[in-house]
Amino acid sequence: MAANKTLLMLPGDGIGPEVMAVVKRVIEWFARRRALRFEVEEGLIGGASYDVHGTPLADETLERARAADAVLLGAVGGPKWDGLEFSRKPERGLLRIRKEMGLFANLRPAVVFPALAEASTLKTEIVSGLDIMIVRELTGGIYFGEPRGIEDLGGGERRGFNTLVYTTSEIRRVGRVAFELARKRQGRVCSIDKANVLEATVLWREEMARLGAEEFPDVALSHMYVDNAAMQLVRDPKQFDVIVTTNMFGDILSDCAAMLTGSLGMLPSASLGAEQDGRIPALYEPVHGSAPDIAGRDLANPLASLLSFGMMLRYSFDLQAEADLIDAAISNILASGLRTADIMQPGKAKVSTSVMSDALIRELDKLAAKA
Ligand code: IPM
Ligand code: MG
């Protein structure tokens, strides 16, 4: 089945290629053992693209991303490209592909695997059983608002500026995604803003409230200021079901939520656009960055990438059983005590990316034999 589905894999920089290699092995496993075939193409993004094309995202790569059924991305950035002019920096490639593919809804689920509850820096009882979904607006807000820039005021004085801007439709379309998700979960949405200070988020709050009342009266909607939300996430994270928030607040809060799960190396994400001709543009990537300090050393945690691949199976191809298989394999190998360095705990076995990857394939074999 799904023989003609094409995936564009963009490994990017740093640990990106290493974690994507693990995903590739799992894709091959599904082809071999489950007759589930994807056509996998590869492309460049970030610094890797800059080194070849002189730009962090070539137009041709963007076209291939648009044509693919889904995009799988590793990570971008690294000290090698720190000195580049702003528009050529690796991160610009990532921001451009999100914007140009219209991926306005970024789903970042923070789920604590039972075996990792003790790996969190927070007390076990605070995080065990945690399952929250952060929906981050991804193509608007201060990340993209105009005007922006750094200008020279003369006399050694400069002025840097960005614009926080949201329109009704931008707020409502991401709100809808959050409300729909809540309906399949515990039926609660918490919208996070800074409406006590920022007008753009006064509008955010008003539009979320109106959308909730008009289209989702069955979903319980609450509002919270972002500073309080940051505190509540570490005080009592289980109070949340679905969180919906702006681009920058979502960036910050999702890193915070990641640590509840034990490590940034555990958090997957899906970025989705609006349905067009029966297809939803989609990009899947781990929330972690390119981790240049450990790149190329077989130390990276591949689980966030694999979980992102699982999200792809779920959201782009409705392959729930296959996605469940991945989740179960990960859960089981964590329960068996294997840990990459970032989630290492006393008494567990510290393993490399490749050993973790071998174990995953073996676990998938075992689960498939049982099914
Ligand atoms: C993320 C990252 C990106 C962002 C960077 C790399 C541009 O931090 O996906 O959270 O800020 O969106
Ligand atoms: Mg971030």
Side-chain angles (χ1 to χ4, degrees), residues 98 108 136 143 247-248 250-252 254-255 264 287-289:
R98 287 172 178 171
R108 300 187 158 188
R136 168 190 178 192
Y143 268 53
N247 202 340
M248 186 161 73
D251 177 47
I252 299 166
S254 61
D255 268 28
L264 203 45
V287 170
H288 65 68

Side-chain angles (χ1 to χ4, degrees), residues 57-69:
L57 178 68
D59 293 343
E60 179 255 352
T61 309
L62 181 61
E63 281 322 307
R64 284 164 66 208
R66 284 206 177 100
D69 290 297

Side-chain angles (χ1 to χ4, degrees), residues 16 26 120 122 138 144 164 189 196 224 226 231 237 241 251 268 301-302 317 319 332 347 371:
V26 171
S120 174
L122 297 189
L138 202 62
F144 294 95
L164 173 59
V189 170
N196 50 343
M224 200 180 275
V226 63
M231 180 182 76
D241 179 19
D251 177 47
N301 182 349
F317 304 116
L319 293 165
N332 291 353

Side-chain angles (χ1 to χ4, degrees), residues 14 17 22 36 75 100 121-122 152 232 242 263 275 282 307 342 360:
V22 181
L36 174 62
E100 300 251 6
T121 48
L122 297 189
D152 210 331
Q232 296 300 335
V242 175
S263 160
E275 184 170 333
L307 290 166
D342 59 309
L360 263 161

Side-chain angles (χ1 to χ4, degrees), residues 2-226:
N4 49 3
K5 298 290 182 200
T6 55
L7 307 182
L8 178 65
M9 194 176 262
L10 303 172
D13 309 320
I15 60 170
E18 291 162 70
V19 292
M20 281 296 120
V22 181
V23 173
K24 245 187 267 174
R25 286 187 68 182
V26 171
I27 292 176
E28 282 156 16
W29 184 88
F30 274 106
R32 208 167 54 236
R33 298 294 305 264
R34 285 295 178 105
L36 174 62
R37 289 199 174 76
F38 293 104
E39 202 77 51
V40 184
E41 296 177 12
E42 279 201 47
L44 298 171
I45 194 165
S49 169
Y50 175 80
D51 287 347
V52 174
H53 301 297
T55 165
L57 178 68
D59 293 343
E60 179 255 352
T61 309
L62 181 61
E63 281 322 307
R64 284 164 66 208
R66 284 206 177 100
D69 290 297
V71 179
L72 286 165
L73 192 139
V76 299
K80 182 179 173 196
W81 304 281
D82 275 353
L84 288 180
E85 183 239 316
F86 194 68
S87 70
R88 297 185 192 280
K89 282 192 191 291
E91 291 78 5
R92 303 309 304 171
L94 179 56
L95 294 169
R96 179 165 177 233
I97 199 170
R98 287 172 178 171
K99 183 74 174 177
E100 300 251 6
M101 287 180 72
L103 308 172
F104 62 85
N106 182 214
L107 280 46
R108 300 187 158 188
V111 175
V112 172
F113 283 89
L116 285 188
E118 283 166 27
S120 174
T121 48
L122 297 189
K123 290 199 192 89
T124 309
E125 66 264 28
I126 302 288
V127 297
S128 71
L130 181 80
D131 177 358
I132 59 185
M133 174 67 87
I134 299 182
V135 180
R136 168 190 178 192
E137 198 290 325
L138 202 62
T139 53
I142 200 164
Y143 268 53
F144 294 95
E146 300 279 348
R148 62 189 297 158
I150 299 177
E151 64 185 16
D152 210 331
L153 300 177
E157 187 77 352
R158 294 192 298 161
R159 179 173 172 267
F161 53 100
N162 290 90
T163 305
L164 173 59
V165 52
Y166 272 113
T167 60
T168 302
S169 51
E170 281 178 313
I171 298 166
R172 289 173 72 94
R173 67 181 181 179
V174 72
R176 260 186 211 106
V177 172
F179 280 111
E180 302 277 6
L181 283 166
R183 273 188 176 153
K184 297 186 196 148
R185 297 169 49 96
Q186 296 169 39
R188 294 183 291 119
V189 170
C190 181
S191 170
I192 291 171
D193 60 47
K194 189 72 186 173
N196 50 343
V197 179
L198 305 170
E199 284 85 349
T201 70
V202 171
L203 183 73
W204 179 279
R205 184 175 285 221
E206 287 174 5
E207 292 298 342
M208 285 297 173
R210 197 160 64 88
L211 178 68
E214 284 172 8
E215 296 178 25
F216 302 91
D218 52 314
V219 176
L221 171 68
S222 60
H223 305 272
M224 200 180 275
Y225 297 138
V226 63

